[in-house]
Amino acid sequence: MALIKEGQLVNDPFVFTADDDPALPDGRAVLVTVARWRANRSMLIAHNGLVGVRLACDQSPDLIADDLKYLAVVTVEFKTFSDGRGFSAARTLRERYGYTGEIRATGHIIRDQYLFLHRCGVNAIEVSNPDDLPEWEKAMAEISLFYQTTVDARTPVMSLRHRSVAAAE
């Protein structure tokens, strides 16, 4: 699986560690489920590598809200491309909880969603084919004007219109 972070293809330092794996890889960055985080919280905080949590598509960020300061990455899962819960989870992490770490999208996502994921606070995505990077890059530039405000702080169209009218007066 390839990782695109901030628009660049990067090596993923994290290794997913299943709930039934007896030990964590020493010194490696690990991703764990919410269940493992809750069961082994103290051990994971003491781990000598970065730690991230993977939220299943039906899990709320509220489950890890009090522990975000310990997490280098939160992965939000998309079961299908039409499942919008990952978008909501990303916005909740950024806007309600002020999370500044990496938010990663995984699962069934399509390039047409890339810009909208970014606007909701996702700054990394797992893609199945790294050769598709140029297509994912194009997806970020396809739309340049927006009606809604989001976490990416782009100026919405109505504000641009008001500025244009004020400048003309």
mmCIF file of all heavy atoms in Angstrom, residues 78 80-87 105-120 122 125 135-136 139-140 142-143:
data_model
loop_
_atom_site.group_PDB
_atom_site.id
_atom_site.type_symbol
_atom_site.label_atom_id
_atom_site.label_comp_id
_atom_site.label_asym_id
_atom_site.label_seq_id
_atom_site.Cartn_x
_atom_site.Cartn_y
_atom_site.Cartn_z
ATOM 1 N N PHE A 78 -12.581 3.947 5.544
ATOM 2 C CA PHE A 78 -13.725 4.088 4.646
ATOM 3 C C PHE A 78 -14.085 2.696 4.141
ATOM 4 O O PHE A 78 -13.325 2.092 3.391
ATOM 5 C CB PHE A 78 -13.382 5.009 3.471
ATOM 6 C CG PHE A 78 -13.280 6.450 3.856
ATOM 7 C CD1 PHE A 78 -12.135 6.930 4.487
ATOM 8 C CD2 PHE A 78 -14.316 7.323 3.605
ATOM 9 C CE1 PHE A 78 -12.032 8.260 4.856
ATOM 10 C CE2 PHE A 78 -14.222 8.659 3.972
ATOM 11 C CZ PHE A 78 -13.077 9.125 4.600
ATOM 12 N N THR A 80 -16.752 1.892 2.257
ATOM 13 C CA THR A 80 -17.105 2.077 0.845
ATOM 14 C C THR A 80 -16.880 3.544 0.508
ATOM 15 O O THR A 80 -16.853 4.397 1.393
ATOM 16 C CB THR A 80 -18.583 1.724 0.557
ATOM 17 O OG1 THR A 80 -19.419 2.685 1.203
ATOM 18 C CG2 THR A 80 -18.928 0.326 1.030
ATOM 19 N N PHE A 81 -16.758 3.839 -0.785
ATOM 20 C CA PHE A 81 -16.509 5.232 -1.168
ATOM 21 C C PHE A 81 -17.703 6.124 -0.847
ATOM 22 O O PHE A 81 -17.569 7.340 -0.742
ATOM 23 C CB PHE A 81 -16.134 5.335 -2.655
ATOM 24 C CG PHE A 81 -17.299 5.181 -3.597
ATOM 25 C CD1 PHE A 81 -18.013 6.283 -4.018
ATOM 26 C CD2 PHE A 81 -17.670 3.931 -4.060
ATOM 27 C CE1 PHE A 81 -19.080 6.147 -4.875
ATOM 28 C CE2 PHE A 81 -18.726 3.780 -4.919
ATOM 29 C CZ PHE A 81 -19.446 4.889 -5.328
ATOM 30 N N SER A 82 -18.875 5.536 -0.663
ATOM 31 C CA SER A 82 -20.068 6.337 -0.376
ATOM 32 C C SER A 82 -20.319 6.522 1.122
ATOM 33 O O SER A 82 -21.302 7.141 1.509
ATOM 34 C CB SER A 82 -21.297 5.683 -1.023
ATOM 35 O OG SER A 82 -21.503 4.389 -0.487
ATOM 36 N N ASP A 83 -19.424 6.034 1.955
ATOM 37 C CA ASP A 83 -19.566 6.149 3.402
ATOM 38 C C ASP A 83 -18.906 7.443 3.866
ATOM 39 O O ASP A 83 -17.684 7.570 3.837
ATOM 40 C CB ASP A 83 -18.917 4.937 4.074
ATOM 41 C CG ASP A 83 -19.120 4.910 5.578
ATOM 42 O OD1 ASP A 83 -19.681 5.879 6.133
ATOM 43 O OD2 ASP A 83 -18.722 3.907 6.194
ATOM 44 N N GLY A 84 -19.700 8.406 4.300
ATOM 45 C CA GLY A 84 -19.178 9.717 4.667
ATOM 46 C C GLY A 84 -18.705 9.859 6.100
ATOM 47 O O GLY A 84 -18.248 10.930 6.506
ATOM 48 N N ARG A 85 -18.771 8.782 6.878
ATOM 49 C CA ARG A 85 -18.398 8.897 8.293
ATOM 50 C C ARG A 85 -16.936 9.268 8.494
ATOM 51 O O ARG A 85 -16.584 9.958 9.446
ATOM 52 C CB ARG A 85 -18.720 7.597 9.026
ATOM 53 C CG ARG A 85 -20.221 7.335 9.115
ATOM 54 C CD ARG A 85 -20.538 6.018 9.749
ATOM 55 N NE ARG A 85 -20.196 4.921 8.837
ATOM 56 C CZ ARG A 85 -20.434 3.648 9.099
ATOM 57 N NH1 ARG A 85 -21.000 3.299 10.251
ATOM 58 N NH2 ARG A 85 -20.113 2.704 8.224
ATOM 59 N N GLY A 86 -16.056 8.855 7.580
ATOM 60 C CA GLY A 86 -14.639 9.213 7.693
ATOM 61 C C GLY A 86 -14.408 10.707 7.546
ATOM 62 O O GLY A 86 -13.545 11.286 8.211
ATOM 63 N N PHE A 87 -15.185 11.351 6.672
ATOM 64 C CA PHE A 87 -15.102 12.807 6.522
ATOM 65 C C PHE A 87 -15.482 13.481 7.834
ATOM 66 O O PHE A 87 -14.820 14.402 8.293
ATOM 67 C CB PHE A 87 -16.040 13.291 5.404
ATOM 68 C CG PHE A 87 -15.652 12.860 4.031
ATOM 69 C CD1 PHE A 87 -16.195 11.727 3.459
ATOM 70 C CD2 PHE A 87 -14.744 13.599 3.287
ATOM 71 C CE1 PHE A 87 -15.850 11.330 2.183
ATOM 72 C CE2 PHE A 87 -14.387 13.215 2.008
ATOM 73 C CZ PHE A 87 -14.944 12.071 1.450
ATOM 74 N N ALA A 105 -6.508 8.601 5.689
ATOM 75 C CA ALA A 105 -7.670 7.883 5.170
ATOM 76 C C ALA A 105 -7.212 6.553 4.603
ATOM 77 O O ALA A 105 -6.186 6.482 3.912
ATOM 78 C CB ALA A 105 -8.362 8.700 4.089
ATOM 79 N N THR A 106 -7.974 5.516 4.894
ATOM 80 C CA THR A 106 -7.665 4.187 4.385
ATOM 81 C C THR A 106 -8.957 3.489 3.991
ATOM 82 O O THR A 106 -10.029 3.865 4.449
ATOM 83 C CB THR A 106 -6.892 3.355 5.426
ATOM 84 O OG1 THR A 106 -6.427 2.152 4.820
ATOM 85 C CG2 THR A 106 -7.738 3.018 6.632
ATOM 86 N N GLY A 107 -8.828 2.478 3.173
ATOM 87 C CA GLY A 107 -10.002 1.723 2.758
ATOM 88 C C GLY A 107 -10.412 2.081 1.346
ATOM 89 O O GLY A 107 -9.573 2.405 0.502
ATOM 90 N N HIS A 108 -11.698 2.076 1.114
ATOM 91 C CA HIS A 108 -12.210 2.304 -0.240
ATOM 92 C C HIS A 108 -12.438 3.793 -0.475
ATOM 93 O O HIS A 108 -13.517 4.327 -0.222
ATOM 94 C CB HIS A 108 -13.500 1.518 -0.458
ATOM 95 C CG HIS A 108 -13.873 1.442 -1.894
ATOM 96 N ND1 HIS A 108 -14.750 2.313 -2.469
ATOM 97 C CD2 HIS A 108 -13.446 0.627 -2.881
ATOM 98 C CE1 HIS A 108 -14.878 2.026 -3.747
ATOM 99 N NE2 HIS A 108 -14.087 1.007 -4.017
ATOM 100 N N ILE A 109 -11.388 4.458 -0.928
ATOM 101 C CA ILE A 109 -11.479 5.870 -1.295
ATOM 102 C C ILE A 109 -11.112 5.989 -2.768
ATOM 103 O O ILE A 109 -10.347 5.184 -3.298
ATOM 104 C CB ILE A 109 -10.572 6.769 -0.428
ATOM 105 C CG1 ILE A 109 -9.157 6.215 -0.362
ATOM 106 C CG2 ILE A 109 -11.151 6.930 0.951
ATOM 107 C CD1 ILE A 109 -8.194 7.068 0.412
ATOM 108 N N ILE A 110 -11.669 7.000 -3.405
ATOM 109 C CA ILE A 110 -11.388 7.215 -4.821
ATOM 110 C C ILE A 110 -10.804 8.602 -5.014
ATOM 111 O O ILE A 110 -10.986 9.489 -4.173
ATOM 112 C CB ILE A 110 -12.648 7.004 -5.682
ATOM 113 C CG1 ILE A 110 -13.788 7.926 -5.235
ATOM 114 C CG2 ILE A 110 -13.089 5.541 -5.643
ATOM 115 C CD1 ILE A 110 -15.044 7.849 -6.097
ATOM 116 N N ARG A 111 -10.103 8.773 -6.119
ATOM 117 C CA ARG A 111 -9.398 10.036 -6.353
ATOM 118 C C ARG A 111 -10.330 11.241 -6.344
ATOM 119 O O ARG A 111 -9.940 12.336 -5.974
ATOM 120 C CB ARG A 111 -8.583 9.985 -7.645
ATOM 121 C CG ARG A 111 -9.439 9.938 -8.902
ATOM 122 C CD ARG A 111 -8.649 10.089 -10.186
ATOM 123 N NE ARG A 111 -8.105 11.384 -10.429
ATOM 124 C CZ ARG A 111 -8.796 12.444 -10.860
ATOM 125 N NH1 ARG A 111 -10.086 12.358 -11.092
ATOM 126 N NH2 ARG A 111 -8.192 13.587 -11.075
ATOM 127 N N ASP A 112 -11.582 11.069 -6.745
ATOM 128 C CA ASP A 112 -12.529 12.183 -6.749
ATOM 129 C C ASP A 112 -12.792 12.718 -5.348
ATOM 130 O O ASP A 112 -13.295 13.821 -5.184
ATOM 131 C CB ASP A 112 -13.852 11.749 -7.376
ATOM 132 C CG ASP A 112 -13.713 11.422 -8.850
ATOM 133 O OD1 ASP A 112 -12.645 11.696 -9.427
ATOM 134 O OD2 ASP A 112 -14.667 10.880 -9.423
ATOM 135 N N GLN A 113 -12.454 11.957 -4.321
ATOM 136 C CA GLN A 113 -12.676 12.379 -2.934
ATOM 137 C C GLN A 113 -11.452 13.051 -2.316
ATOM 138 O O GLN A 113 -11.551 13.616 -1.225
ATOM 139 C CB GLN A 113 -13.051 11.164 -2.081
ATOM 140 C CG GLN A 113 -14.352 10.522 -2.485
ATOM 141 C CD GLN A 113 -14.568 9.208 -1.774
ATOM 142 O OE1 GLN A 113 -13.663 8.402 -1.637
ATOM 143 N NE2 GLN A 113 -15.789 8.995 -1.316
ATOM 144 N N TYR A 114 -10.335 13.007 -3.006
ATOM 145 C CA TYR A 114 -9.068 13.468 -2.423
ATOM 146 C C TYR A 114 -9.146 14.912 -1.933
ATOM 147 O O TYR A 114 -8.805 15.212 -0.791
ATOM 148 C CB TYR A 114 -7.950 13.287 -3.443
ATOM 149 C CG TYR A 114 -6.552 13.534 -2.941
ATOM 150 C CD1 TYR A 114 -6.202 13.374 -1.607
ATOM 151 C CD2 TYR A 114 -5.547 13.910 -3.813
ATOM 152 C CE1 TYR A 114 -4.914 13.586 -1.165
ATOM 153 C CE2 TYR A 114 -4.249 14.129 -3.382
ATOM 154 C CZ TYR A 114 -3.945 13.970 -2.053
ATOM 155 O OH TYR A 114 -2.666 14.190 -1.624
ATOM 156 N N LEU A 115 -9.595 15.811 -2.762
ATOM 157 C CA LEU A 115 -9.679 17.216 -2.372
ATOM 158 C C LEU A 115 -10.610 17.398 -1.177
ATOM 159 O O LEU A 115 -10.311 18.138 -0.239
ATOM 160 C CB LEU A 115 -10.152 18.074 -3.542
ATOM 161 C CG LEU A 115 -10.367 19.553 -3.248
ATOM 162 C CD1 LEU A 115 -9.074 20.221 -2.818
ATOM 163 C CD2 LEU A 115 -10.942 20.257 -4.459
ATOM 164 N N PHE A 116 -11.721 16.699 -1.176
ATOM 165 C CA PHE A 116 -12.683 16.839 -0.083
ATOM 166 C C PHE A 116 -12.147 16.232 1.207
ATOM 167 O O PHE A 116 -12.410 16.753 2.292
ATOM 168 C CB PHE A 116 -14.025 16.244 -0.499
ATOM 169 C CG PHE A 116 -14.553 16.906 -1.747
ATOM 170 C CD1 PHE A 116 -14.551 16.234 -2.949
ATOM 171 C CD2 PHE A 116 -14.993 18.220 -1.716
ATOM 172 C CE1 PHE A 116 -14.993 16.853 -4.106
ATOM 173 C CE2 PHE A 116 -15.436 18.853 -2.871
ATOM 174 C CZ PHE A 116 -15.444 18.160 -4.072
ATOM 175 N N LEU A 117 -11.396 15.156 1.093
ATOM 176 C CA LEU A 117 -10.724 14.605 2.270
ATOM 177 C C LEU A 117 -9.771 15.639 2.862
ATOM 178 O O LEU A 117 -9.754 15.875 4.072
ATOM 179 C CB LEU A 117 -9.953 13.335 1.905
ATOM 180 C CG LEU A 117 -10.784 12.094 1.628
ATOM 181 C CD1 LEU A 117 -9.942 11.034 0.933
ATOM 182 C CD2 LEU A 117 -11.375 11.555 2.916
ATOM 183 N N HIS A 118 -8.987 16.249 1.998
ATOM 184 C CA HIS A 118 -8.034 17.269 2.428
ATOM 185 C C HIS A 118 -8.762 18.435 3.110
ATOM 186 O O HIS A 118 -8.331 18.923 4.151
ATOM 187 C CB HIS A 118 -7.223 17.755 1.230
ATOM 188 C CG HIS A 118 -6.220 18.792 1.569
ATOM 189 N ND1 HIS A 118 -5.064 18.506 2.260
ATOM 190 C CD2 HIS A 118 -6.195 20.117 1.332
ATOM 191 C CE1 HIS A 118 -4.376 19.614 2.430
ATOM 192 N NE2 HIS A 118 -5.038 20.608 1.872
ATOM 193 N N ARG A 119 -9.869 18.855 2.537
ATOM 194 C CA ARG A 119 -10.624 19.973 3.102
ATOM 195 C C ARG A 119 -11.200 19.643 4.475
ATOM 196 O O ARG A 119 -11.454 20.534 5.281
ATOM 197 C CB ARG A 119 -11.751 20.402 2.158
ATOM 198 C CG ARG A 119 -11.189 20.929 0.842
ATOM 199 C CD ARG A 119 -12.128 21.846 0.126
ATOM 200 N NE ARG A 119 -12.143 23.114 0.829
ATOM 201 C CZ ARG A 119 -13.236 23.827 1.044
ATOM 202 N NH1 ARG A 119 -14.397 23.410 0.628
ATOM 203 N NH2 ARG A 119 -13.163 24.965 1.690
ATOM 204 N N CYS A 120 -11.389 18.367 4.749
ATOM 205 C CA CYS A 120 -11.917 17.939 6.051
ATOM 206 C C CYS A 120 -10.814 17.701 7.082
ATOM 207 O O CYS A 120 -11.099 17.413 8.237
ATOM 208 C CB CYS A 120 -12.741 16.671 5.897
ATOM 209 S SG CYS A 120 -14.319 16.954 5.083
ATOM 210 N N VAL A 122 -7.902 15.617 6.414
ATOM 211 C CA VAL A 122 -7.057 14.460 6.113
ATOM 212 C C VAL A 122 -5.808 14.949 5.392
ATOM 213 O O VAL A 122 -5.897 15.691 4.421
ATOM 214 C CB VAL A 122 -7.818 13.436 5.229
ATOM 215 C CG1 VAL A 122 -6.895 12.339 4.738
ATOM 216 C CG2 VAL A 122 -8.993 12.857 5.994
ATOM 217 N N ILE A 125 -3.213 9.725 2.682
ATOM 218 C CA ILE A 125 -4.129 8.688 2.217
ATOM 219 C C ILE A 125 -3.338 7.475 1.775
ATOM 220 O O ILE A 125 -2.243 7.589 1.245
ATOM 221 C CB ILE A 125 -5.034 9.160 1.060
ATOM 222 C CG1 ILE A 125 -4.207 9.637 -0.132
ATOM 223 C CG2 ILE A 125 -5.990 10.231 1.501
ATOM 224 C CD1 ILE A 125 -5.012 9.855 -1.385
ATOM 225 N N GLU A 135 -2.593 11.066 -11.060
ATOM 226 C CA GLU A 135 -4.048 11.239 -11.061
ATOM 227 C C GLU A 135 -4.531 11.806 -9.728
ATOM 228 O O GLU A 135 -5.428 12.645 -9.697
ATOM 229 C CB GLU A 135 -4.749 9.914 -11.362
ATOM 230 C CG GLU A 135 -4.576 9.459 -12.794
ATOM 231 C CD GLU A 135 -5.106 10.483 -13.790
ATOM 232 O OE1 GLU A 135 -6.242 10.972 -13.623
ATOM 233 O OE2 GLU A 135 -4.368 10.805 -14.746
ATOM 234 N N TRP A 136 -3.938 11.350 -8.639
ATOM 235 C CA TRP A 136 -4.308 11.881 -7.328
ATOM 236 C C TRP A 136 -3.890 13.348 -7.222
ATOM 237 O O TRP A 136 -4.606 14.166 -6.653
ATOM 238 C CB TRP A 136 -3.672 11.048 -6.210
ATOM 239 C CG TRP A 136 -4.315 9.706 -6.066
ATOM 240 C CD1 TRP A 136 -3.956 8.550 -6.691
ATOM 241 C CD2 TRP A 136 -5.441 9.381 -5.261
ATOM 242 N NE1 TRP A 136 -4.794 7.532 -6.315
ATOM 243 C CE2 TRP A 136 -5.717 8.009 -5.430
ATOM 244 C CE3 TRP A 136 -6.241 10.110 -4.392
ATOM 245 C CZ2 TRP A 136 -6.753 7.357 -4.782
ATOM 246 C CZ3 TRP A 136 -7.274 9.459 -3.734
ATOM 247 C CH2 TRP A 136 -7.525 8.099 -3.935
ATOM 248 N N ALA A 139 -6.350 15.538 -8.970
ATOM 249 C CA ALA A 139 -7.595 15.653 -8.208
ATOM 250 C C ALA A 139 -7.556 16.830 -7.241
ATOM 251 O O ALA A 139 -8.589 17.440 -6.965
ATOM 252 C CB ALA A 139 -7.883 14.359 -7.457
ATOM 253 N N MET A 140 -6.388 17.168 -6.733
ATOM 254 C CA MET A 140 -6.272 18.289 -5.788
ATOM 255 C C MET A 140 -6.468 19.636 -6.464
ATOM 256 O O MET A 140 -6.814 20.614 -5.812
ATOM 257 C CB MET A 140 -4.908 18.263 -5.099
ATOM 258 C CG MET A 140 -4.803 17.231 -4.005
ATOM 259 S SD MET A 140 -5.896 17.539 -2.621
ATOM 260 C CE MET A 140 -5.039 18.848 -1.786
ATOM 261 N N GLU A 142 -8.445 20.212 -9.344
ATOM 262 C CA GLU A 142 -9.596 20.271 -10.241
ATOM 263 C C GLU A 142 -10.629 21.314 -9.847
ATOM 264 O O GLU A 142 -11.325 21.853 -10.692
ATOM 265 C CB GLU A 142 -10.258 18.894 -10.332
ATOM 266 C CG GLU A 142 -9.427 17.920 -11.118
ATOM 267 C CD GLU A 142 -10.033 16.536 -11.179
ATOM 268 O OE1 GLU A 142 -10.775 16.146 -10.273
ATOM 269 O OE2 GLU A 142 -9.737 15.841 -12.153
ATOM 270 N N ILE A 143 -10.749 21.607 -8.582
ATOM 271 C CA ILE A 143 -11.745 22.580 -8.112
ATOM 272 C C ILE A 143 -10.999 23.676 -7.360
ATOM 273 O O ILE A 143 -10.163 23.396 -6.510
ATOM 274 C CB ILE A 143 -12.782 21.908 -7.191
ATOM 275 C CG1 ILE A 143 -13.494 20.786 -7.948
ATOM 276 C CG2 ILE A 143 -13.775 22.929 -6.658
ATOM 277 C CD1 ILE A 143 -14.391 19.922 -7.083
#
